[in-house]
Short mmCIF file of all heavy atoms in Angstrom, two decimals:
data_model
loop_
_atom_site.label_atom_id
_atom_site.label_comp_id
_atom_site.label_asym_id
_atom_site.label_seq_id
_atom_site.Cartn_x
_atom_site.Cartn_y
_atom_site.Cartn_z
N PHE T 1 0.86 -1.17 0.00
CA PHE T 1 0.00 0.00 0.00
C PHE T 1 0.90 1.22 0.00
O PHE T 1 1.83 1.32 0.79
CB PHE T 1 -0.92 0.00 1.23
CG PHE T 1 -1.78 -1.23 1.28
CD1 PHE T 1 -1.52 -2.24 2.18
CD2 PHE T 1 -2.85 -1.37 0.42
CE1 PHE T 1 -2.30 -3.37 2.22
CE2 PHE T 1 -3.64 -2.50 0.45
CZ PHE T 1 -3.36 -3.50 1.36
N ASN T 2 0.63 2.12 -0.89
CA ASN T 2 1.46 3.31 -1.04
C ASN T 2 0.99 4.45 -0.14
O ASN T 2 1.36 5.59 -0.36
CB ASN T 2 1.47 3.76 -2.50
CG ASN T 2 2.10 2.72 -3.38
OD1 ASN T 2 3.04 2.05 -2.98
ND2 ASN T 2 1.59 2.57 -4.59
N PHE T 3 0.18 4.13 0.84
CA PHE T 3 -0.33 5.14 1.74
C PHE T 3 0.17 4.86 3.16
O PHE T 3 0.10 3.74 3.63
CB PHE T 3 -1.87 5.14 1.77
CG PHE T 3 -2.47 5.33 0.41
CD1 PHE T 3 -3.06 4.28 -0.25
CD2 PHE T 3 -2.46 6.57 -0.20
CE1 PHE T 3 -3.63 4.44 -1.48
CE2 PHE T 3 -3.02 6.75 -1.44
CZ PHE T 3 -3.61 5.69 -2.09
N SER T 4 0.61 5.90 3.82
CA SER T 4 0.99 5.74 5.22
C SER T 4 -0.27 5.83 6.07
O SER T 4 -1.33 6.24 5.59
CB SER T 4 1.99 6.83 5.62
OG SER T 4 1.33 8.09 5.60
N ALA T 5 -0.14 5.50 7.34
CA ALA T 5 -1.29 5.62 8.25
C ALA T 5 -1.74 7.07 8.34
O ALA T 5 -2.93 7.36 8.42
CB ALA T 5 -0.92 5.08 9.63
N ASP T 6 -0.78 8.01 8.31
CA ASP T 6 -1.14 9.44 8.35
C ASP T 6 -1.94 9.85 7.11
O ASP T 6 -2.86 10.66 7.21
CB ASP T 6 0.13 10.30 8.45
CG ASP T 6 0.81 10.15 9.81
OD1 ASP T 6 0.12 9.77 10.78
OD2 ASP T 6 2.02 10.41 9.88
N ASP T 7 -1.57 9.29 5.96
CA ASP T 7 -2.31 9.60 4.74
C ASP T 7 -3.75 9.12 4.84
O ASP T 7 -4.68 9.81 4.41
CB ASP T 7 -1.67 8.94 3.52
CG ASP T 7 -0.37 9.60 3.12
OD1 ASP T 7 -0.16 10.77 3.47
OD2 ASP T 7 0.45 8.92 2.46
N LEU T 8 -3.94 7.95 5.40
CA LEU T 8 -5.28 7.38 5.49
C LEU T 8 -6.14 8.08 6.53
O LEU T 8 -7.36 8.08 6.43
CB LEU T 8 -5.20 5.89 5.80
CG LEU T 8 -4.54 5.04 4.70
CD1 LEU T 8 -4.38 3.61 5.18
CD2 LEU T 8 -5.35 5.08 3.43
N LEU T 9 -5.52 8.66 7.54
CA LEU T 9 -6.28 9.30 8.62
C LEU T 9 -6.33 10.81 8.50
O LEU T 9 -6.88 11.47 9.38
CB LEU T 9 -5.66 8.91 9.97
CG LEU T 9 -5.71 7.42 10.31
CD1 LEU T 9 -4.96 7.14 11.59
CD2 LEU T 9 -7.14 6.94 10.40
N ARG T 10 -5.79 11.36 7.42
CA ARG T 10 -5.75 12.82 7.31
C ARG T 10 -7.15 13.40 7.16
O ARG T 10 -8.07 12.74 6.67
CB ARG T 10 -4.87 13.26 6.16
CG ARG T 10 -5.50 13.04 4.82
CD ARG T 10 -4.62 13.49 3.72
NE ARG T 10 -5.27 13.10 2.48
CZ ARG T 10 -4.99 13.59 1.32
NH1 ARG T 10 -4.06 14.48 1.21
NH2 ARG T 10 -5.64 13.19 0.26
N ARG T 11 -7.28 14.61 7.58
CA ARG T 11 -8.56 15.31 7.51
C ARG T 11 -8.44 16.42 6.48
O ARG T 11 -7.47 17.17 6.48
CB ARG T 11 -8.90 15.89 8.87
CG ARG T 11 -10.19 16.65 8.91
CD ARG T 11 -10.53 17.03 10.34
NE ARG T 11 -11.57 18.00 10.42
CZ ARG T 11 -12.85 17.76 10.24
NH1 ARG T 11 -13.23 16.54 9.97
NH2 ARG T 11 -13.74 18.71 10.33
N VAL T 12 -9.41 16.51 5.61
CA VAL T 12 -9.42 17.53 4.57
C VAL T 12 -10.55 18.49 4.90
O VAL T 12 -11.70 18.08 5.04
CB VAL T 12 -9.62 16.91 3.18
CG1 VAL T 12 -9.70 17.98 2.12
CG2 VAL T 12 -8.52 15.92 2.88
N ASP T 13 -10.20 19.74 5.04
CA ASP T 13 -11.21 20.75 5.31
C ASP T 13 -11.80 21.25 4.00
O ASP T 13 -11.07 21.65 3.10
CB ASP T 13 -10.62 21.92 6.10
CG ASP T 13 -10.23 21.52 7.51
OD1 ASP T 13 -10.98 20.72 8.09
OD2 ASP T 13 -9.20 21.98 8.00
N PHE T 14 -13.11 21.22 3.91
CA PHE T 14 -13.80 21.68 2.71
C PHE T 14 -14.69 22.84 3.11
O PHE T 14 -15.55 22.71 3.98
CB PHE T 14 -14.64 20.55 2.11
CG PHE T 14 -15.48 20.99 0.95
CD1 PHE T 14 -14.90 21.29 -0.26
CD2 PHE T 14 -16.84 21.11 1.07
CE1 PHE T 14 -15.67 21.70 -1.34
CE2 PHE T 14 -17.62 21.51 0.02
CZ PHE T 14 -17.04 21.81 -1.20
N ASN T 15 -14.48 23.99 2.51
CA ASN T 15 -15.25 25.18 2.82
C ASN T 15 -16.32 25.37 1.76
O ASN T 15 -16.05 25.91 0.69
CB ASN T 15 -14.32 26.40 2.90
CG ASN T 15 -15.07 27.66 3.32
OD1 ASN T 15 -16.26 27.61 3.62
ND2 ASN T 15 -14.36 28.76 3.34
N ILE T 16 -17.54 24.93 2.08
CA ILE T 16 -18.63 25.02 1.11
C ILE T 16 -19.04 26.47 0.85
O ILE T 16 -19.53 26.80 -0.21
CB ILE T 16 -19.85 24.17 1.56
CG1 ILE T 16 -20.84 24.01 0.41
CG2 ILE T 16 -20.52 24.79 2.77
CD1 ILE T 16 -21.93 23.01 0.67
N LYS T 17 -18.79 27.36 1.82
CA LYS T 17 -19.16 28.77 1.66
C LYS T 17 -18.11 29.57 0.90
O LYS T 17 -18.38 30.65 0.43
CB LYS T 17 -19.40 29.40 3.02
CG LYS T 17 -20.60 28.83 3.73
CD LYS T 17 -20.80 29.48 5.07
CE LYS T 17 -21.98 28.86 5.78
NZ LYS T 17 -22.18 29.42 7.11
N GLY T 18 -16.91 29.02 0.78
CA GLY T 18 -15.82 29.71 0.08
C GLY T 18 -15.78 29.35 -1.38
O GLY T 18 -16.82 29.24 -2.04
N ASP T 19 -14.55 29.15 -1.90
CA ASP T 19 -14.38 28.82 -3.31
C ASP T 19 -13.98 27.37 -3.53
O ASP T 19 -13.64 27.00 -4.66
CB ASP T 19 -13.29 29.73 -3.92
CG ASP T 19 -13.76 31.17 -4.03
OD1 ASP T 19 -14.95 31.38 -4.34
OD2 ASP T 19 -12.94 32.07 -3.80
N ASP T 20 -14.01 26.54 -2.48
CA ASP T 20 -13.61 25.14 -2.64
C ASP T 20 -14.59 24.41 -3.56
O ASP T 20 -15.79 24.69 -3.57
CB ASP T 20 -13.58 24.43 -1.28
CG ASP T 20 -12.46 24.94 -0.39
OD1 ASP T 20 -11.61 25.71 -0.89
OD2 ASP T 20 -12.43 24.56 0.78
N LEU T 21 -14.04 23.49 -4.31
CA LEU T 21 -14.83 22.75 -5.28
C LEU T 21 -14.44 21.28 -5.22
O LEU T 21 -13.26 20.94 -5.18
CB LEU T 21 -14.55 23.28 -6.70
CG LEU T 21 -15.28 22.65 -7.85
CD1 LEU T 21 -16.76 22.99 -7.81
CD2 LEU T 21 -14.67 23.12 -9.17
N ILE T 22 -15.43 20.40 -5.17
CA ILE T 22 -15.18 18.97 -5.24
C ILE T 22 -15.40 18.55 -6.69
O ILE T 22 -16.46 18.81 -7.27
CB ILE T 22 -16.12 18.16 -4.32
CG1 ILE T 22 -15.81 18.47 -2.87
CG2 ILE T 22 -15.98 16.67 -4.60
CD1 ILE T 22 -16.73 17.77 -1.88
N VAL T 23 -14.38 17.95 -7.29
CA VAL T 23 -14.48 17.42 -8.65
C VAL T 23 -14.49 15.91 -8.54
O VAL T 23 -13.55 15.31 -8.03
CB VAL T 23 -13.31 17.90 -9.53
CG1 VAL T 23 -13.42 17.31 -10.93
CG2 VAL T 23 -13.27 19.41 -9.59
N PHE T 24 -15.55 15.30 -9.01
CA PHE T 24 -15.68 13.84 -8.94
C PHE T 24 -15.18 13.24 -10.23
O PHE T 24 -15.75 13.43 -11.29
CB PHE T 24 -17.14 13.45 -8.68
CG PHE T 24 -17.35 11.97 -8.67
CD1 PHE T 24 -16.71 11.17 -7.74
CD2 PHE T 24 -18.18 11.36 -9.58
CE1 PHE T 24 -16.89 9.81 -7.71
CE2 PHE T 24 -18.38 9.99 -9.57
CZ PHE T 24 -17.72 9.22 -8.64
N LEU T 25 -14.08 12.49 -10.13
CA LEU T 25 -13.52 11.78 -11.27
C LEU T 25 -14.10 10.37 -11.26
O LEU T 25 -13.80 9.57 -10.39
CB LEU T 25 -11.99 11.72 -11.16
CG LEU T 25 -11.26 10.83 -12.16
CD1 LEU T 25 -11.50 11.31 -13.59
CD2 LEU T 25 -9.78 10.81 -11.86
N HIS T 26 -14.94 10.08 -12.24
CA HIS T 26 -15.61 8.78 -12.31
C HIS T 26 -14.71 7.79 -13.03
O HIS T 26 -14.43 7.94 -14.21
CB HIS T 26 -16.93 8.92 -13.05
CG HIS T 26 -17.71 7.65 -13.15
ND1 HIS T 26 -19.01 7.61 -13.56
CD2 HIS T 26 -17.38 6.37 -12.89
CE1 HIS T 26 -19.45 6.37 -13.56
NE2 HIS T 26 -18.47 5.60 -13.16
N ILE T 27 -14.26 6.78 -12.32
CA ILE T 27 -13.50 5.69 -12.92
C ILE T 27 -14.48 4.56 -13.17
O ILE T 27 -15.14 4.09 -12.24
CB ILE T 27 -12.35 5.24 -11.99
CG1 ILE T 27 -11.41 6.42 -11.74
CG2 ILE T 27 -11.61 4.06 -12.60
CD1 ILE T 27 -10.36 6.16 -10.69
N GLN T 28 -14.57 4.13 -14.40
CA GLN T 28 -15.59 3.15 -14.78
C GLN T 28 -15.41 1.82 -14.06
O GLN T 28 -14.31 1.39 -13.76
CB GLN T 28 -15.54 2.93 -16.29
CG GLN T 28 -15.87 4.19 -17.06
CD GLN T 28 -15.79 3.96 -18.54
OE1 GLN T 28 -16.27 2.97 -19.05
NE2 GLN T 28 -15.19 4.89 -19.26
N LYS T 29 -16.54 1.18 -13.80
CA LYS T 29 -16.61 -0.16 -13.19
C LYS T 29 -16.04 -0.21 -11.77
O LYS T 29 -15.50 -1.21 -11.34
CB LYS T 29 -15.91 -1.21 -14.06
CG LYS T 29 -16.45 -1.29 -15.46
CD LYS T 29 -17.89 -1.70 -15.46
CE LYS T 29 -18.46 -1.72 -16.86
NZ LYS T 29 -19.89 -1.75 -16.87
N THR T 30 -16.14 0.89 -11.04
CA THR T 30 -15.65 0.91 -9.66
C THR T 30 -16.73 1.37 -8.68
O THR T 30 -16.42 1.72 -7.55
CB THR T 30 -14.44 1.86 -9.52
OG1 THR T 30 -14.85 3.18 -9.90
CG2 THR T 30 -13.27 1.39 -10.36
N GLY T 31 -17.98 1.40 -9.11
CA GLY T 31 -19.06 1.86 -8.25
C GLY T 31 -19.24 3.36 -8.31
O GLY T 31 -19.87 3.96 -7.44
N GLY T 32 -18.69 4.00 -9.33
CA GLY T 32 -18.73 5.46 -9.44
C GLY T 32 -20.11 6.04 -9.60
O GLY T 32 -20.41 7.10 -9.09
N THR T 33 -20.98 5.36 -10.32
CA THR T 33 -22.34 5.87 -10.51
C THR T 33 -23.07 5.89 -9.17
O THR T 33 -23.71 6.88 -8.81
CB THR T 33 -23.10 5.01 -11.53
OG1 THR T 33 -22.41 5.05 -12.77
CG2 THR T 33 -24.52 5.49 -11.71
N THR T 34 -22.94 4.84 -8.41
CA THR T 34 -23.58 4.77 -7.09
C THR T 34 -23.01 5.85 -6.17
O THR T 34 -23.75 6.55 -5.48
CB THR T 34 -23.38 3.38 -6.46
OG1 THR T 34 -23.93 2.41 -7.35
CG2 THR T 34 -24.04 3.28 -5.11
N PHE T 35 -21.69 6.00 -6.16
CA PHE T 35 -21.07 7.00 -5.30
C PHE T 35 -21.44 8.41 -5.76
O PHE T 35 -21.69 9.29 -4.93
CB PHE T 35 -19.55 6.84 -5.28
CG PHE T 35 -18.88 7.77 -4.33
CD1 PHE T 35 -18.95 7.56 -2.97
CD2 PHE T 35 -18.18 8.88 -4.79
CE1 PHE T 35 -18.35 8.42 -2.07
CE2 PHE T 35 -17.58 9.75 -3.90
CZ PHE T 35 -17.66 9.52 -2.54
N GLY T 36 -21.50 8.64 -7.07
CA GLY T 36 -21.90 9.95 -7.59
C GLY T 36 -23.31 10.32 -7.17
O GLY T 36 -23.59 11.47 -6.79
N ARG T 37 -24.21 9.36 -7.21
CA ARG T 37 -25.59 9.60 -6.74
C ARG T 37 -25.60 9.89 -5.24
O ARG T 37 -26.34 10.74 -4.76
CB ARG T 37 -26.47 8.40 -7.03
CG ARG T 37 -26.95 8.35 -8.43
CD ARG T 37 -28.07 7.32 -8.57
NE ARG T 37 -28.14 6.88 -9.93
CZ ARG T 37 -27.89 5.66 -10.35
NH1 ARG T 37 -27.61 4.71 -9.50
NH2 ARG T 37 -27.96 5.36 -11.62
N HIS T 38 -24.75 9.17 -4.50
CA HIS T 38 -24.66 9.39 -3.05
C HIS T 38 -24.20 10.82 -2.75
O HIS T 38 -24.71 11.45 -1.82
CB HIS T 38 -23.70 8.38 -2.44
CG HIS T 38 -23.36 8.65 -1.01
ND1 HIS T 38 -24.25 8.46 0.01
CD2 HIS T 38 -22.22 9.11 -0.45
CE1 HIS T 38 -23.67 8.81 1.16
NE2 HIS T 38 -22.44 9.19 0.90
#
């Protein structure tokens, strides 16, 4: 696994009132449609 424990437990702050933007990259056949709907 190329992730350390710190990478897996990191917290990302998302400011919905600011200029932050979530871009959803859909990778086919990985459950992306279900997650996108979620």
